[in-house]
Every structure is written in C-alpha cells, then in structure tokens.
Amino acid sequence: MTLGVMALATIPGRGATQPTVIPGSVAFEGGMNIPEGEIEIYFDDPSSSDPADPDALSTRLRSDGNAKAIEFLLTVDTDVSGVREIIARLERNDGWLIARGSTVFELGAPVRIMLHTVMY
C-alpha cells in the first residue's frame, strides 16, 4: 500500500493538560487513491461545553490525489477521554463534499478512517 506524506497536526485545546499523541491514517474505499482535496478530521465530542464551536477539536490535511493512504499524528492538548468518534470529511477545492468516514475512538489505539464516496 502506498502511503502519503505523514502529516503532523496540532489541535489547540481548551485547557492545560498533558498533550496526547494520536497516530492514525486515512484511506479511500476500494484501495483507490484518495482524491485531491482537503481532509478535515474532527472529534465528535459529546461532552463539549461549547455547542457553538463543534470544530474546536479538528485539523485539516491535504490530499494531492496520488496516495492510497495518508498517515498522520495528531497532538491534542486537551482531554479527549469523552470523545467517542472521529470523523473525516474530504472536500474538493470548491468546498464540495466528496467523501466521509468515521471510526470509534479508543484512547491509546491508532485511528484508521476509511473514506466512502458521498452520493447526492
């Protein structure tokens, strides 16, 4: 499997806690190359005290369209113990949603997200 360039992203936190490093990868269904665009990875945090800021725990990666998977390390400086799911959205440069995927989040386990084509 061809892997994309490893992306390092820091997600700013809402409090001063020990940083957590979360390894992960994003791949596209069927083993195809991930289409060109921007991938937003965000945590579905049901314990968030600020519902007006749902993307407080999010980051963005670029896909050049040439990789079957993109590995990343997320460094999060906030408590993620209440997070249950991590979601990824792939959008074209014009903002059109191409694919979406999610996975159950387990602290200490690598994150593997499979993107599936969005049908309109």
Side-chain angles (χ1 to χ4, degrees):
M1 177 184 289
T2 305
L3 298 177
V5 175
M6 180 173 288
L8 299 174
T10 301
I11 299 174
R14 291 174 260 185
T17 62
Q18 183 72 4
T20 301
V21 177
I22 302 167
S25 64
V26 177
F28 198 73
E29 65 183 337
M32 297 171 42
N33 286 0
I34 300 172
E36 183 177 351
E38 188 168 82
I39 303 168
E40 179 182 20
I41 300 172
Y42 58 96
F43 294 79
D44 180 21
D45 185 2
S47 66
S48 175
S49 60
D50 186 1
D53 190 14
D55 296 329
L57 293 175
S58 69
T59 191
R60 293 184 176 268
L61 308 171
R62 293 272 331 141
S63 170
D64 61 8
N66 296 318
K68 294 190 183 299
I70 299 174
E71 292 186 345
F72 58 86
L73 290 175
L74 298 176
T75 302
V76 182
D77 64 355
T78 188
D79 180 19
V80 291
S81 61
V83 173
R84 298 287 178 248
E85 185 177 33
I86 296 181
I87 301 166
R89 294 171 45 97
L90 173 61
E91 296 179 356
R92 292 188 321 203
N93 292 335
D94 62 4
W96 193 260
L97 181 64
I98 300 172
R100 184 185 185 283
S102 65
T103 189
V104 174
F105 175 68
E106 295 180 32
L107 193 59
V111 172
R112 307 232 186 278
I113 302 173
M114 181 65 62
L115 294 170
H116 299 278
T117 304
V118 173
M119 300 294 204
Y120 290 97

